[in-house]
Amino acid sequence: MPPADVEDTWSDSDDELEADHETSVDLGVPDGPVEDAAVLLDAAVSRIGGHPTFLSTPHPPISHATCNNCAQPMELLIEIWCPLEESPNDRALYVWACANGSCQRKEGSVRAWRELRFNKKYAEKLERKLARRKAKELEEAKAAATEAAKKAQPKSNPFALGAMSAPNPFGLGSQVFGGAAPTEPGPETESADRDGSPDGEESESESDTEDDADDALAAEMQSASLEDSPWKALPAYSPFYLSTASEYLPPPPKVKVPAGATVDPDDDKASKGKDGGWDMEGYENSLDIDHVFERFTKRVSYEGEQCLRYELGGTPLPFASDKVFDQLFPLPPAPPLPVTKPGFMVTPPRKRTYAPDALPLCPHCQAPRVFECQLMPNLINVLRTPSGAQKKLTDEERRAEVLRALKGSGSSGGKGMDWGTCMVFSCKKDCSAEKEEGSTWREEFVLVQWDE
């Protein structure tokens, strides 16, 4: 589920980020070649390369994977199984890219599509879950109202005349201790607790229903296989498993100070702003250094094998200072200078803020776009590797490989893709045609930062 919308302020230094913690980003890392034919037919298994596995038939037209520049079929880069928890739709994301040299740096050479398939069994489960949640909320509201009414009642005087005329000789004690008559459970409570499971948990029958839904989905995928399909004849890279890991930011290394040496804290304060971040105005004017790229390289080096960064509703990690960066993280205008003595005015550093409203709206429902994922340079290295030839690298070898990929000097002999990162922005409403038969296809918006 996407997190709540927050304003993300750009910083060109990770010094302002918390260290020694996990971020909300899921990293996709390669996990060996896919050799099981049954896995290749399972759309619920995310993978790198290979032929696409669709959720339903009929298959989409091959034009979905055609380059908008050379009109040739493109290879699949990545397929992600990414259903939303509160959605009745099965959901998968596909990203294709053209490797022809003449198509690089041109719009339409990288395309992303989202497939949605209505899952009737899971939709029924969501309805039951919603009914239990509403019943629980109603019961909690009733209990809160009863408690408030009890507190609002005036305290009775046990020595008052009315108290002595109670028909029950033991009624005095119940009045003193505020005893209340037991109430019968309402129909909502009975309905909510009928299956004996609390809100959010499944009964045994619901678990069996979900298993049936999984079996139905597997059967649907088997029928949607590419046998006797023109998709089978399209070019494809060797398939690799795509595993998920949480992004972890390690603590900064401790600087060893020689014995007897002293550190002047004013020196460090002079080089940084009062909040620990670099002054943007002077920092950006440094010559021949792209600090956005430096930050990108540093962040990626924490997990050099990452091929994918996934954070639905999050913030992309820009690759370089280019027009895409300026579009997503515009620099706010400088404050106006006073007419008198403008040279003596101290202006605060200007912070770039992530601006998703700069993205085009969904053409189908006019909902805004949100960031979903981005492809990383190491993906090109993995796609260049023949199936079964991938080996585990040491930390030092992995860092060196990442740097070679970022500088455009990776292994030779492969395809000619030279992008730095491909960002995919999807419809915030995850719109679909809302049909129970077949599936819905939506092309999502892609921004590519090329390797200069």
Side-chain angles (χ1 to χ4, degrees), residues 376-393:
M376 306 301 285
N378 189 48
L379 177 61
I380 299 177
N381 289 333
V382 175
L383 295 173
R384 285 170 172 164
T385 305
S387 180
Q390 193 181 32
K391 65 175 183 178
K392 289 292 183 180
L393 303 177

Side-chain angles (χ1 to χ4, degrees), residues 325-439:
F325 173 68
D326 290 334
Q327 176 183 353
L328 296 177
F329 298 88
L331 186 64
L337 296 176
V339 178
T340 60
K341 298 182 180 180
F344 296 97
M345 179 180 177
V346 178
T347 59
R350 293 179 289 167
K351 295 293 185 181
R352 292 179 180 266
T353 301
Y354 176 50
D357 55 347
L359 301 168
L361 301 177
C362 173
H364 301 282
C365 67
Q366 299 302 306
R369 302 273 192 181
V370 295
F371 172 74
E372 180 159 1
C373 65
Q374 66 186 106
L375 310 186
M376 306 301 285
N378 189 48
L379 177 61
I380 299 177
N381 289 333
V382 175
L383 295 173
R384 285 170 172 164
T385 305
S387 180
Q390 193 181 32
K391 65 175 183 178
K392 289 292 183 180
L393 303 177
T394 65
D395 290 342
E396 197 64 33
E397 290 173 335
R398 185 169 61 228
R399 280 192 291 269
E401 188 69 21
V402 170
L403 289 176
R404 283 196 295 271
L406 293 176
K407 294 177 181 177
S409 57
S411 306
S412 60
K415 295 291 184 177
M417 293 181 295
D418 59 357
W419 41 261
T421 188
C422 304
M423 307 174 186
V424 179
F425 302 86
S426 54
C427 172
K428 186 175 183 179
K429 288 186 177 180
D430 201 41
C431 64
S432 68
E434 297 181 355
K435 55 184 180 181
E436 296 193 12
E437 298 296 332
S439 59

Side-chain angles (χ1 to χ4, degrees), residues 13-24:
S13 172
D14 276 341
D15 295 338
E16 293 185 6
L17 297 174
E18 290 186 33
D20 195 19
H21 85 295
E22 290 185 354
T23 71
S24 57

Side-chain angles (χ1 to χ4, degrees), residues 159-171:
F159 302 102
L161 180 62
M164 302 305 293
S165 61
N168 183 0
F170 303 100

Side-chain angles (χ1 to χ4, degrees), residues 5 16 31 53 57 68-69 76 86 117 120 131 140 158 198 215 268 296 304 313 315 335 360 381 442:
D5 293 336
E16 293 185 6
D31 197 14
T53 302
T57 54
N68 288 340
N69 300 289
L76 178 70
E86 298 297 329
R117 173 184 176 270
K120 185 177 180 180
E140 290 176 349
D215 294 340
D268 185 62
F296 181 92
T315 304
N381 289 333
R442 294 285 190 259

Side-chain angles (χ1 to χ4, degrees), residues 38 40 67 70 125 127 135 177 201 215 217 226-227 254 264 322 328 334 349 351 355 389 420 443 445 449:
L40 294 175
C67 177
C70 66
K125 177 184 175 182
E127 290 181 0
F177 295 102
E201 296 184 4
D215 294 340
L217 176 60
L226 299 183
E227 297 299 330
K254 295 182 179 180
D264 187 356
D322 59 6
L328 296 177
K351 295 293 185 181
E443 183 166 15
F445 186 69
Q449 289 188 287

Side-chain angles (χ1 to χ4, degrees), residues 185-229:
E188 294 83 2
T189 305
E190 184 178 351
S191 174
D193 297 336
R194 186 182 298 276
D195 58 5
S197 60
D199 180 49
E201 296 184 4
E202 301 174 12
S203 65
E204 184 176 351
S205 61
E206 286 186 351
S207 179
D208 294 339
T209 302
E210 185 174 4
D211 291 340
D212 294 340
D214 293 339
D215 294 340
L217 176 60
E220 184 74 18
M221 292 176 183
Q222 290 286 344
S223 66
S225 66
L226 299 183
E227 297 299 330
D228 302 324
S229 169

